[in-house]
Amino acid sequence: MQRHPANPVVTRQHVPAGTPHLTDVSSVFNPGAIQFHDQTILLLRVQNRGRETFTLTARSRDGLHFTLSTPEIRFRGMEKLEERIYHCYDMRITPLEGRYYIMFAMDMEEGCRLGLAVTDDFETFEFLGITSGGDTRNGVLFPERFNGLYLRLERPNRVQLAGGPASGSTIILSGSSDLLEWSPVGEVASGRFHYWDELIGGGPPPVKTRAGWLALYHGVATHFASANIYQAGVMLLDLLDPCKVLARSRYNMLEPRESWELTGQVPNVVFPSGLIVEEYDDQGFARFDSPFRLYYGAADTVVGLFTGRVSELIEAATA
Ligand code: BMA
């Protein structure tokens, strides 16, 4: 597995001029990613110099050269919410039953909630609702139902990072019959204190393989006093009962090393959020020899691309 030599593949320079509140932005990062017909689409988190957050669409035919569209995405129906919403961010795109669902974090007065939107064409987006009660983040929807139940990974915020935002050390599985009301099903995995993944959160939506669900995640090492180091790792979850962890990477598979991962708005961050697997078999399992593209946020400032084969992700989980 390797970083693409053309990294970082999306930066703030990609934002076209012309929209006043999107002029000379600070950062473009933590993208959701999907292959849509012959295009790779990214939903990017963009921050301007007012530290306001917007979601921009990026499109590419080769997965490398992206064109960004302005203005930002408008989630139809969100304007009807009475509560104040500060930021919507970290979009995860899941293809499910012929539509594309987007789960994202919403910073509100009482903490972080999970919002859900849906699109069929990546032109118009319908806001479906706030789908969590308590403070939670990193909501990641599975691409199919399990005995009629929709499932998602989420990461309740229970830990306060030193001088920083609320975070958490346990990924749980929740279930829903309508995608709107969710209740916990069980615990999936917790942080391993003293090691690379002390605090954890789900990454891109899980990918089905014959070895289990490939679930990339981020882990934060907090024990370096001045820095939280965000890294990426991978778990394999049981195909029928995703609460069961079959394997989990002892080593991170990607850590901040390049200058643009080590330096930026928030130093020492790689944040895996968009995974595209090229080839699936006719029963919907990702092929072991299929190439993958992982789009990730680096230092909360730019987007990186990491590539390899599905088999290498599985090896990383079992190493
Ligand atoms: C997490 C989230 C991510 C962000 C990371 C590093 O808590 O807010 O969106 O990339 O922190 O700042």
Side-chain angles (χ1 to χ4, degrees), residues 74-83 85 106 125-127:
R74 202 172 65 76
F75 294 101
R76 284 186 184 168
M78 202 184 270
E79 70 284 353
K80 294 195 191 109
L81 288 180
E82 278 165 20
E83 302 96 316
I85 303 157
M106 298 174 78
F125 297 81
E126 186 192 345
F127 180 64

Side-chain angles (χ1 to χ4, degrees), residues 159-162 167 193-199 219-231:
V159 183
Q160 195 76 32
L161 288 175
S167 188
F193 284 101
H194 308 287
Y195 297 104
W196 77 266
D197 51 356
E198 298 184 284
L199 303 178
V220 190
T222 63
H223 52 282
F224 294 87
S226 62
N228 294 310
I229 307 175
Y230 278 72
Q231 308 132 80

Side-chain angles (χ1 to χ4, degrees), residues 67-227:
T67 305
L68 272 60
S69 315
T70 49
E72 68 275 13
I73 290 176
R74 202 172 65 76
F75 294 101
R76 284 186 184 168
M78 202 184 270
E79 70 284 353
K80 294 195 191 109
L81 288 180
E82 278 165 20
E83 302 96 316
R84 175 100 194 249
I85 303 157
Y86 294 101
H87 304 282
C88 295
Y89 57 97
D90 295 357
M91 309 274 145
R92 269 67 163 216
I93 310 169
T94 301
L96 176 64
E97 297 171 347
R99 308 194 78 189
Y100 297 93
Y101 288 89
I102 301 149
M103 203 156 264
F104 51 93
M106 298 174 78
D107 280 355
M108 304 180 63
E109 209 59 70
E110 299 78 26
C112 190
R113 302 284 184 268
L114 292 175
L116 182 67
V118 68
T119 185
D120 297 312
D121 54 11
F122 289 92
E123 301 288 342
T124 56
F125 297 81
E126 186 192 345
F127 180 64
L128 297 176
I130 298 175
T131 66
S132 62
D135 201 339
T136 188
R137 225 202 317 263
N138 299 305
V140 185
L141 199 56
F142 281 76
E144 60 184 58
R145 284 201 229 196
F146 296 70
N147 296 321
L149 207 62
Y150 297 106
L151 291 181
R152 79 175 176 204
L153 301 173
E154 62 181 287
R155 206 288 315 286
N157 286 325
R158 293 195 184 114
V159 183
Q160 195 76 32
L161 288 175
S167 188
S169 61
T170 300
I171 294 175
I172 65 163
L173 188 73
S174 303
S176 169
S177 55
D178 62 1
L179 290 170
L180 298 175
E181 298 287 326
W182 292 81
S183 22
V185 171
E187 274 189 24
V188 177
S190 285
R192 293 180 288 203
F193 284 101
H194 308 287
Y195 297 104
W196 77 266
D197 51 356
E198 298 184 284
L199 303 178
I200 58 175
V207 167
K208 194 158 96 165
T209 77
R210 296 207 182 263
W213 288 100
L214 257 183
L216 273 57
Y217 69 105
H218 66 264
V220 190
T222 63
H223 52 282
F224 294 87
S226 62

Side-chain angles (χ1 to χ4, degrees), residues 207-213 236 239 246 281-288 310 314:
V207 167
K208 194 158 96 165
T209 77
R210 296 207 182 263
W213 288 100
L236 274 175
L239 284 174
L246 305 177
D281 67 19
D282 46 20
Q283 287 166 311
F285 291 91
R287 291 186 193 279
F288 289 144
V310 166
I314 293 172

